[in-house]
Amino acid sequence: AAPPATAEDFARAEQDIINVRNLMLAEYNADPNRVYLMGNSSGGSAVWNLGVKNPELWTAISPSAAPLEDANFPYEKLGKLPVLVVHGDMDTTMVFDASKTMVDHAKAKGVNVTWLPVMGGQHVDAWAQPEILKQTFDFFDKYKTKQK
């Protein structure tokens, strides 16, 4: 079995995401004001973490099935970054209600957060349902420039 991930491993993984973002902007002449980040499960945790560490890099974010221990989560660092939280209510891996709690706490801190529960959605598929993907892209499309 692989050894457990270290803080350095997580830092490298986060830097990989930023590097891919920057490469996409350079290679495809993409609009830096329209860069969105979404991920499911551990990828969704990375979305939350990169949202608070580098809110200026993203136009909007969407973590899915990725509730974090939120007692000390720095929601205020998200600033005006729009957040769409997706989670299936039939997820047996991560706790659905914990995602809803994060949404409630983020709202209480003034975050522009939207809750998208997926009825019948499980851990790996809730975000990927065609209707949910449409709602996710519609959410991103509402934000055509970074919120200052």
Side-chain angles (χ1 to χ4, degrees), residues 86-91 96-97 100 115-122 125-127 129 131-132 135:
V86 178
H87 205 142
D89 71 339
M90 293 290 125
D91 187 339
F96 175 80
D97 288 339
K100 177 64 167 88
W115 173 232
L116 180 54
V118 182
M119 298 304 109
Q122 300 191 25
D125 72 351
W127 70 273
Q129 296 176 25
E131 180 53 34
I132 300 305
Q135 290 178 63

Side-chain angles (χ1 to χ4, degrees), residues 32-62:
N33 289 306
R34 294 194 69 183
V35 180
Y36 310 95
L37 186 63
M38 65 184 292
N40 187 69
S41 194
S42 60
S45 299
V47 169
W48 276 117
N49 286 316
L50 283 166
V52 297
K53 287 179 184 172
N54 304 102
E56 73 286 352
L57 297 181
W58 321 106
T59 309
I61 63 172
S62 181

Side-chain angles (χ1 to χ4, degrees), residues 5-22 37-38 42-47 49-51 53-54 57-58:
T6 65
E8 185 178 332
D9 292 329
F10 284 110
R12 284 184 176 158
E14 288 179 352
Q15 189 58 52
D16 283 346
I17 295 167
I18 293 168
N19 291 344
V20 168
R21 173 202 179 270
N22 295 339
L37 186 63
M38 65 184 292
S42 60
S45 299
V47 169
N49 286 316
L50 283 166
K53 287 179 184 172
N54 304 102
L57 297 181
W58 321 106

Side-chain angles (χ1 to χ4, degrees), residues 103-123:
V103 168
D104 293 342
H105 292 169
K107 277 187 180 164
K109 296 277 183 135
V111 175
N112 177 3
V113 62
T114 301
W115 173 232
L116 180 54
V118 182
M119 298 304 109
Q122 300 191 25
H123 185 66

